Amino acid sequence: MTLRKLLFYPKYAYLITGLLLLVFTGNQSLAEKNDYKASFTPKLQKAYSDIQKLRLQPARALLNAERKTQPDNAFVPYLDNYADLHYLLISEDKNAYKQLSRLEEERLDKIAKLPDNSPYKRFLQAEIRMHWAFAKLKFGNEISGSWEIIKAYKLLEENQKKFPKFLPTLKSLGLLHVLIGSIPENYTWVTRMLGLKGNIQTGIQELRRVAEEEPVFRQEAELIDLLLHAYTLHLSPAQLARMRQLPEEQPDNLLYHFFATTIFLKENKGEEAAGFLSKAPSGPAYIPFPFLDYLRGEIKLQKGDYENALESYQLFQRKYSGFNYIKDSSLKLFMCLWLDNKDKEAVRFINKINAGGSTIVEADQSAQRFAEDFLAGKISPSNKTLYKARYATDGGYLLQAMNIMDAVSENSFGSMPEKAEFNYRKARIFQKSGKINQSVPYYERALTLSHKAAPGFGASAALQLGYICMDKKDKVKAAGYFKTAMSFKKHEYKNSIDNKARAALTLLGE
């Protein structure tokens, strides 16, 4: 198990991208109290704001102007790096990655010129190393990326000891504490060996301290907290309400609209996600973002609007030059036709899945497995019903999903994996509809059927049963279900389910 797999679970591609886009340093008040050449000037503040809104062109113009008058300001190379990372993570441009990665050491050297008694020196160095760590991991440079994580962690830890009142350190250290703390227990020996300490509760407390005590970083720390809860922990209704407010507070912020869309999609609220996506700002000042077309396809597929979903996925593939979600979008193109009973037209996209794209993110891995199973004759026509119900449930179209499932029964399916999935899908619909007690027997049935034939659905069912028991304050049963979820071996959701179960057990004090 490499550090890349530990800290860069494919399931959390959105989360990792989001957190990288958020990491920022700068505090005008602190900089002005000292004579260090680390000044967050008005122009740099505006550049920072534009970068976070994904307005890279005007941001770079501001940085170039400030470079002429502030050549020794450490925030200039830092924000150069910050802008570059936004571009790389969104575009997945391999040529640009090769060129820009050569600038890392040059930027670190410039920041190293800060006095040793400056709290920004190690902090800015750590931030740049964190940026490049996740970029290198995303682009497949595992060894170098792993060392960057270790170096960043050590720099932050040292900075915290030297400058305990310098709160920005806690923003980044808190992030790492949560990510490392949510690693499944059977892999924690790796982090211990490397000297990386993680604790979810400590990390959240550190982030919230920054949000409460440091006004400049309040928004960023709060947003990191929201993303961690959305993708690793458990998002509360209050946090979901706060996520709704962010795009309204900054309607010109494309990044906020992207976060809101992905989070509400994850929360099975397709209509709300579509609303945020429809209001997303655009224009020449913003970085091209083809992935938004992919998200439009997801929403339409979930709604059963196959023709328009097909158009959105095709537009994504035409405009996108990256390497993630190529296989998955080809699978979705297949689904748009197959679920619309256009089987002959659909089959050509199975071959396209095998032809290109990577298998870094879990969605692409799943698409590759589907293609292999379909070509091996393991996907029967009865699976159409399950996929229709799955997509409708994912989008929050619960009445539509229930109508689909009410037309069949467990006996409508021939194989054990199909029977297990039938029960799991039925349970999810009940659970999402607020009928928790009605969902439990279906989850239990899915768990019973899954031990040998469908471990993925068994693990997923156990995870949801754990959440249900945790909400009912039955900590003993909840812990048992979370441990059961982690006990399933070799299934496609292993990393993400183990990660969530481990995080839940930590919150329970286990």
Side-chain angles (χ1 to χ4, degrees):
M1 172 62 67
T2 63
L3 187 59
R4 174 179 183 271
K5 291 181 179 178
L6 293 177
L7 297 181
F8 196 64
Y9 289 138
K11 179 75 172 179
Y12 306 112
Y14 291 149
L15 172 63
I16 294 301
T17 298
L19 291 171
L20 283 164
L21 297 179
L22 282 171
V23 176
F24 164 74
T25 63
N27 183 317
Q28 188 179 20
S29 61
L30 285 173
E32 289 180 347
K33 290 177 182 177
N34 301 293
D35 295 324
Y36 310 141
K37 293 181 180 179
S39 177
F40 191 28
T41 66
K43 282 186 179 179
L44 292 179
Q45 291 181 56
K46 181 62 168 65
Y48 157 64
S49 177
D50 280 340
I51 292 169
Q52 282 209 325
K53 293 177 180 179
L54 301 185
R55 292 167 49 88
L56 295 193
Q57 185 176 343
R60 291 189 191 281
L62 286 167
L63 286 171
N64 289 333
E66 197 73 344
R67 195 186 329 275
K68 294 177 182 177
T69 59
Q70 299 263 341
D72 296 324
N73 190 341
F75 281 109
V76 174
Y78 177 79
L79 290 177
D80 280 335
N81 198 73
Y82 189 54
D84 289 344
L85 263 293
H86 278 74
Y87 174 75
L88 290 175
L89 293 167
I90 290 173
S91 69
E92 296 185 355
D93 185 334
K94 291 184 177 181
N95 290 328
Y97 167 74
K98 290 179 182 178
Q99 294 173 0
L100 295 172
S101 61
R102 297 169 188 159
L103 299 176
E104 180 188 3
E105 291 304 321
E106 176 185 324
R107 290 166 178 169
L108 287 169
D109 287 344
K110 288 180 179 178
I111 293 169
K113 293 178 182 179
L114 286 170
D116 199 50
N117 63 351
S118 168
Y120 288 106
K121 184 173 183 176
R122 294 168 184 79
F123 181 57
L124 290 175
Q125 289 175 324
E127 295 288 272
I128 286 180
R129 289 197 179 280
M130 281 178 62
H131 289 168
W132 283 108
F134 288 103
K136 288 174 181 180
L137 294 172
K138 184 169 189 176
F139 280 82
N141 194 344
E142 296 187 15
I143 295 175
S144 181
S146 299
W147 277 113
E148 296 279 20
I149 284 283
I150 296 167
K151 290 175 182 177
Y153 183 91
K154 297 299 183 184
L155 283 165
L156 290 167
E157 203 173 43
E158 185 180 353
N159 211 47
Q160 174 63 11
K161 291 177 181 178
K162 287 180 69 70
F163 308 101
K165 295 182 180 180
F166 185 70
L167 292 182
T169 304
L170 295 181
K171 171 184 67 66
S172 303
L173 200 55
L175 163 60
L176 289 180
H177 282 157
V178 174
L179 292 178
I180 296 168
S182 58
I183 291 171
E185 189 174 12
N186 51 326
Y187 297 129
T188 55
W189 64 271
V190 178
T191 56
R192 286 197 300 269
M193 182 180 68
L194 296 172
L196 307 178
K197 300 175 184 177
N199 184 289
I200 294 173
Q201 292 175 325
T202 297
I204 294 298
Q205 289 170 0
E206 289 167 337
L207 286 166
R208 290 180 178 172
R209 184 183 171 194
V210 175
E212 292 168 4
E213 300 179 26
E214 178 48 71
V216 175
F217 289 98
R218 177 174 296 131
Q219 181 172 289
E220 182 189 354
E222 178 191 27
L223 195 48
I224 292 175
D225 188 5
L226 286 170
L227 289 168
L228 287 169
H229 278 84
Y231 288 97
T232 303
L233 306 172
H234 197 58
L235 201 63
S236 71
Q239 288 173 316
L240 198 60
R242 180 59 184 146
M243 196 66 236
R244 287 188 181 95
Q245 294 175 345
L246 295 180
E248 296 176 2
E249 292 176 355
Q250 292 189 31
D252 63 338
N253 192 319
L254 178 55
L255 188 61
Y256 279 178
H257 285 80
F258 167 69
F259 285 150
T261 300
T262 57
I263 286 175
F264 278 87
L265 272 174
K266 181 185 175 298
E267 293 295 313
N268 311 118
K269 298 180 183 295
E271 288 300 303
E272 283 196 79
F276 291 117
L277 194 54
S278 68
K279 295 177 182 177
S282 61
Y286 293 91
I287 184 173
F289 208 162
F291 195 73
L292 300 181
D293 292 307
Y294 171 91
L295 295 176
R296 291 185 183 97
E298 292 286 275
I299 293 167
K300 292 167 186 174
L301 175 61
Q302 292 171 353
K303 201 171 184 178
D305 185 0
Y306 301 127
E307 185 175 344
N308 286 316
L310 186 80
E311 184 179 330
S312 292
Y313 288 124
Q314 288 175 328
L315 186 60
F316 164 70
Q317 288 198 344
R318 284 198 301 269
K319 292 162 61 177
Y320 184 60
S321 58
F323 46 87
N324 287 316
Y325 294 96
I326 299 298
K327 291 180 182 293
D328 179 70
S329 56
S330 291
L331 171 64
K332 300 302 174 53
L333 286 165
F334 167 85
M335 288 292 178
C336 290
L337 295 166
W338 190 58
L339 298 180
D340 205 20
N341 295 317
K342 299 175 181 176
D343 294 27
K344 291 183 179 179
E345 295 177 57
V347 172
R348 66 188 177 96
F349 288 107
I350 290 294
N351 296 324
K352 195 172 180 179
I353 293 172
N354 290 325
S358 68
T359 53
I360 296 174
V361 299
E362 200 165 81
D364 288 328
Q365 295 172 8
S366 180
Q368 185 65 49
R369 280 189 293 269
F370 180 93
E372 293 168 358
D373 288 345
F374 186 87
L375 291 172
K378 296 179 180 179
I379 307 294
S380 70
S382 60
N383 270 266
K384 289 184 181 182
T385 299
L386 297 173
Y387 274 101
K388 286 180 179 179
R390 170 187 173 180
Y391 291 134
T393 304
D394 287 346
Y397 304 107
L398 301 177
L399 182 59
Q400 177 183 332
M402 187 58 80
N403 288 337
I404 292 169
M405 295 302 289
D406 281 346
V408 293
S409 68
E410 183 182 308
N411 292 330
S412 302
F413 302 93
S415 71
M416 199 63 72
E418 290 174 341
K419 291 177 184 291
E421 184 174 359
F422 165 82
N423 285 280
Y424 178 78
R425 297 293 167 210
K426 194 100 173 185
R428 286 296 280 165
I429 297 168
F430 278 127
Q431 185 184 22
K432 290 293 179 182
S433 301
K435 300 175 181 178
I436 306 301
N437 292 335
Q438 288 174 261
S439 73
V440 171
Y442 285 99
Y443 276 134
E444 290 175 340
R445 176 66 175 161
L447 187 56
T448 299
L449 294 171
S450 296
H451 282 287
K452 292 182 179 180
F457 291 113
S460 298
L463 181 70
Q464 295 304 323
L465 286 167
Y467 285 141
I468 289 169
C469 290
M470 190 161 67
D471 288 341
K472 292 181 176 181
K473 311 299 182 185
D474 190 338
K475 293 184 177 181
V476 175
K477 277 191 176 181
Y481 279 125
F482 290 133
K483 290 174 183 177
T484 297
M486 295 171 65
S487 71
F488 283 89
K489 310 295 183 184
K490 296 182 180 179
H491 59 85
E492 60 186 302
Y493 310 113
K494 178 67 176 172
N495 283 342
S496 56
I497 287 177
D498 281 10
N499 190 34
K500 288 188 174 185
R502 181 68 256 160
L505 284 168
T506 301
L507 292 175
L508 290 172
E510 291 286 323

